[in-house]
Amino acid sequence: MFYKRLIVLLLLVGIISYCVIYFTVDINTLRNLIDFQPWSVAAAFFSVLIGLFLDGFRLIQLVRLSGEKITPMQAARVVFGNYFLALLTPGFSGGAVAQLMFLRYAEVPMGKAAIIVVVRTLISILFLFVCMPFILLSDDGVLPWVSNKLLMWFSLLAIAGTIALIWAMVSGSFDKVAVFIAKRISHKKGRKLMGFYHDNKKAILLLSSSPAAMFKVFIISGLSLIALYAVVPFLLMGLGAKVNWIMVMGRMVFLNLFLYFSPTPGGSGIAEGGFILLFNTIAPQGTVGVVAVGWRLFAEYIPFLVGFYYTIKVFGRGFLGKKTLNKGK
């Protein structure tokens, strides 16, 4: 089952990359690629390394806040394992399973490991949401057919709704709502819903237990994401484009926030299509597809291969069997 899924993913990535380049590259692009600046490739690679380092560093801080400890090598396995399984599953859902597996391997108790995984995701999404109003104030062309005013209201409502939900969960006033919903659906779905609710509530309680430490983790998360997104402006500069860093980084934030809710494995297809939609007016003519594939290569596929190596090394070839997945879930 694992090898079938891996082969399907590789074929999907190959076909999407080919189509993206084929339909967006022209003869001028091919000539420009000969002059592609090597320093921009090195800068993009270095930027990804910084982003991954900061991602591992924030994980170590979160584990420490939970009262446990992990080594930098164990943190690296969690980070790269997340990339590996996230690309194999719809909506990046497998990334959470990979993180749990590697945290358990590092002898972090299952309950704490689950909370840490949820907190990592919540903090990243929260950072992107917080950035959205500032992006919409500085960029009028994020989505040409949707007004920035409407997007701004949506962003503000999402932030306000998130804050209200966090307050309701911390105060306990949302508990009855969760129980009410769980009782009106099937027993199996109700148990899953309550498990999901309790994991998120514990994560939010951890977030509120040490505000100063969590603010530090929030800043580290933001710097990690910025470093990973900086791959795109470096690649654009390598093709001779004049880059508006604020606009480019803003659109990367918008795209990656959307990808958190992507139904395809690792956002394949949607990531490339969304990138072309957002950057076709910024990238030099005929180069947007090359930059899209380059971004995915540096920011997703290379970490995916490293995660594949760590996962096979630690858990063996049978790690993705049905029993393993069931335990992870």
Side-chain angles (χ1 to χ4, degrees), residues 208-322:
S208 61
S209 65
S210 182
M214 279 302 168
F215 181 74
K216 177 182 176 182
V217 172
F218 179 80
I219 297 299
I220 295 171
S221 299
L223 293 175
S224 173
L225 293 174
I226 289 171
L228 292 171
Y229 300 163
V231 169
V232 172
F234 282 131
L235 291 178
L236 287 171
M237 291 168 67
L239 291 176
K242 293 182 180 180
V243 174
N244 182 332
W245 276 77
I246 295 177
M247 179 181 292
V248 171
M249 297 299 286
R251 295 193 180 190
M252 286 301 296
V253 167
F254 182 85
L255 176 58
N256 281 273
L257 178 60
F258 181 75
L259 287 179
Y260 269 101
F261 310 98
S262 167
T264 61
S268 298
I270 294 178
E272 290 83 358
F275 187 94
I276 292 171
L277 177 66
L278 292 172
F279 288 92
N280 61 353
T281 59
I282 296 177
Q285 185 177 4
T287 62
V288 65
V290 174
V291 178
V293 173
W295 159 57
R296 293 286 282 174
L297 175 66
F298 281 103
E300 300 288 345
Y301 301 144
I302 292 177
F304 166 85
L305 293 175
V306 178
F308 174 73
Y309 165 77
Y310 277 134
T311 307
I312 295 297
K313 182 179 179 181
V314 172
F315 298 107
R317 295 184 178 182
F319 79 100
L320 254 183
K322 188 175 181 180

